[in-house]
Amino acid sequence: MASAKTDLFDQKLNTSAALFKALAHPARLAILQYLAETKVCMTGDISDELPLSRTTVKQHLTELKNAGLIQGKVDGVKVNYCLDPKRVCELGKIFNEFYTIINQPGNYNCK
């Protein structure tokens, strides 16, 4: 059985990559920013706040939910979306740790 190339890397790098991938689209960043700015669970249609169709927004919400960055709770026919503060904090720690690793002072002499 063939293994995925991601299996060649440790769990920490795979976790980081999955989170960074979830952030790799401006619509997803806009959704996260909107939820952070409103500081409430969004009961209405988030697509009203973005220049995208409902179907497209739903796909981005699914990606963010799968990454654990947002929570979605069904309330009748609507879904309430809000940030998952624990996961957002975890994202900050992962980013800061990765940034510290790659931001090592030195003379790289790249020409």
Side-chain angles (χ1 to χ4, degrees), residues 6 14-15 32 35 39 67 92 94-95 105 107-109:
T6 56
N14 276 293
T15 298
L32 292 173
L35 291 173
K39 296 182 181 2
I94 289 169
F95 177 80
N107 186 4
Y108 298 109
N109 292 323

Side-chain angles (χ1 to χ4, degrees), residues 72-86:
K73 297 175 183 144
V74 177
D75 182 22
V77 295
K78 294 188 177 191
V79 179
N80 297 326
Y81 289 103
C82 57
L83 294 176
D84 183 332
K86 183 178 175 187

Side-chain angles (χ1 to χ4, degrees), residues 10-87:
D10 67 27
Q11 183 61 38
K12 192 174 188 179
L13 285 175
N14 276 293
T15 298
S16 297
L19 281 170
F20 295 159
K21 181 179 178 184
L23 299 175
H25 195 286
R28 293 183 207 137
L29 294 176
I31 291 168
L32 292 173
Q33 186 174 326
Y34 177 74
L35 291 173
E37 289 170 354
T38 59
K39 296 182 181 2
V40 296
C41 282
M42 180 66 185
T43 307
D45 194 346
I46 293 177
S47 64
D48 292 341
E49 306 300 323
L50 300 171
L52 301 170
S53 71
R54 288 181 182 182
T55 303
T56 301
V57 171
K58 184 172 174 19
Q59 291 170 343
H60 289 300
L61 288 167
T62 299
E63 289 292 324
L64 291 169
K65 189 172 179 186
N66 289 342
L69 293 169
I70 63 171
Q71 301 169 347
K73 297 175 183 144
V74 177
D75 182 22
V77 295
K78 294 188 177 191
V79 179
N80 297 326
Y81 289 103
C82 57
L83 294 176
D84 183 332
K86 183 178 175 187
R87 188 69 166 156

